[in-house]
């Protein structure tokens, strides 16, 4: 509970210790200061992801053409971890590192990055919605499951955006079949209900979301 508020709990009382070891935050800052500015910028932008990302996602959303090389460098410096599943390789920041990375971005940078992130996963969800009614349904279920945390982060971002009603309706509406097949009925109804409670949005986006909510109900 205390770790969720600040890092003072992790400070050491050993006065003779090196400065970079006096707190977890200072240790991360020390490691961060050792990497080149371009890699610092990329590392900070990776904070937008929840539950990790693929190389392609990091390249497109973080606008880094050399994403694989940069991710490899971060892994070698213990600033990122790599995981492998049936879909391939994913890179992830430990949560404490992700929080530190996010604090290196300005408010404007965070906003632009979160917007690109939400746009990317909205497009992915809409593509998956088409694939869910084809022979490729199993593949798309696995893809959405792997990025479930990113999809929820995108939904939360659209929910917080007063002008994001239509995009939230489209994103939530595109996910209803995934929620239904995977048994996330309550969660899906909650997100669709939040989207439908917002005024505005196109007729088609609202109808799709309402249809999804009805099916889940």
């Amino acid at each position: 509970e205390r770790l969720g508020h600040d890092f003072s709990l992790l400070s050491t009382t050993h006065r003779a210790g090196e400065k970079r070891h006096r707190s977890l935050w200072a240790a991360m800052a020390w490691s961060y200061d050792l990497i080149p500015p371009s890699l610092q910028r990329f590392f900070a932008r990776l904070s937008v992801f929840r539950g990790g990302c693929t190389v392609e996602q990091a390249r497109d959303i973080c606008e880094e053409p050399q994403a694989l090389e940069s991710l490899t460098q971060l892994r070698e410096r213990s600033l990122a971890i790599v995981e492998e599943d049936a879909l391939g390789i994913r890179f992830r920041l430990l949560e404490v590192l992700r929080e530190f990375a996010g604090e290196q971005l300005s408010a404007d940078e965070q906003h632009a990055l979160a917007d690109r992130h939400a746009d990317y996963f909205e497009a992915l969800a809409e593509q998956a919605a088409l694939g869910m009614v084809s022979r490729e349904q199993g593949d798309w279920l696995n893809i959405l499951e792997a990025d479930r945390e990113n999809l929820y982060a995108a939904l939360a971002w659209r929910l917080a955006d007063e002008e994001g009603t239509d995009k939230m309706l489209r994103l939530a509406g595109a996910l209803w079949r995934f929620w239904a097949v995977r048994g996330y009925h309550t969660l899906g109804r909650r997100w669709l209900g939040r989207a439908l409670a917002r005024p505005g949005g196109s007729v088609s986006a609202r109808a799709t979301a309402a249809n999804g909510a009805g099916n889940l109900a």
Side-chain angles (χ1 to χ4, degrees):
E1 184 176 337
R2 289 176 61 188
L3 286 172
H5 295 291
D6 57 55
F7 291 86
S8 61
L9 179 64
L10 300 176
S11 298
T12 178
T13 58
H14 184 50
R15 296 182 181 180
E18 291 186 336
K19 183 177 180 180
R20 66 176 181 270
H21 292 152
R22 290 178 190 168
S23 72
L24 178 58
W25 199 261
M28 289 188 293
W30 177 74
S31 296
Y32 175 79
D33 289 340
L34 289 176
I35 61 178
S38 59
L39 196 58
Q40 289 179 346
R41 183 172 60 252
F42 177 65
F43 172 68
R45 290 179 176 182
L46 287 175
S47 64
V48 75
F49 293 104
R50 304 295 194 280
C53 65
T54 65
V55 174
E56 292 75 16
Q57 290 167 349
R59 180 195 63 206
D60 295 346
I61 296 174
C62 297
E63 297 181 327
E64 176 50 72
Q66 304 301 320
L68 178 57
E69 180 180 346
S70 297
L71 285 164
T72 301
Q73 291 183 45
L74 290 174
R75 181 195 179 192
E76 290 172 350
R77 291 167 169 79
S78 299
L79 292 174
I81 58 177
V82 64
E83 300 170 333
E84 189 169 2
D85 57 24
L87 296 176
I89 294 176
R90 293 177 68 84
F91 288 84
R92 181 169 63 86
L93 303 184
L94 293 176
E95 183 60 21
V96 66
L97 284 168
R98 193 190 68 77
E99 291 179 12
F100 174 86
E103 291 203 4
Q104 312 312 309
L105 297 170
S106 68
D108 288 343
E109 288 175 314
Q110 289 178 346
H111 188 282
L113 192 61
D115 224 29
R116 284 202 303 274
H117 177 273
D119 284 343
Y120 181 98
F121 284 101
E122 180 187 322
L124 178 69
E126 291 183 328
Q127 186 179 1
L130 298 175
M132 288 284 289
V133 291
S134 72
R135 295 179 180 179
E136 300 174 345
Q137 183 186 83
D139 293 335
W140 282 109
L141 282 170
N142 292 332
I143 290 171
L144 294 179
E145 188 70 50
D147 274 312
R148 190 156 49 105
E149 291 184 52
N150 279 315
L151 290 163
Y152 296 157
L155 282 165
W157 175 252
R158 294 303 185 205
L159 180 64
D161 182 6
E162 294 181 357
E163 299 179 358
T165 300
D166 191 70
K167 290 185 175 183
M168 184 178 183
L169 286 166
R170 287 169 55 188
L171 176 54
L175 290 172
W176 80 262
R177 201 179 297 274
F178 164 71
W179 284 321
V181 176
R182 282 296 165 99
Y184 303 134
H185 301 91
T186 301
L187 187 62
R189 288 174 65 186
R190 186 179 300 130
W191 278 116
L192 285 161
R194 291 170 178 168
L196 290 164
R198 298 271 297 270
S202 66
V203 173
S204 60
R206 186 165 288 278
T208 300
N211 175 64
N215 275 281
L216 288 176

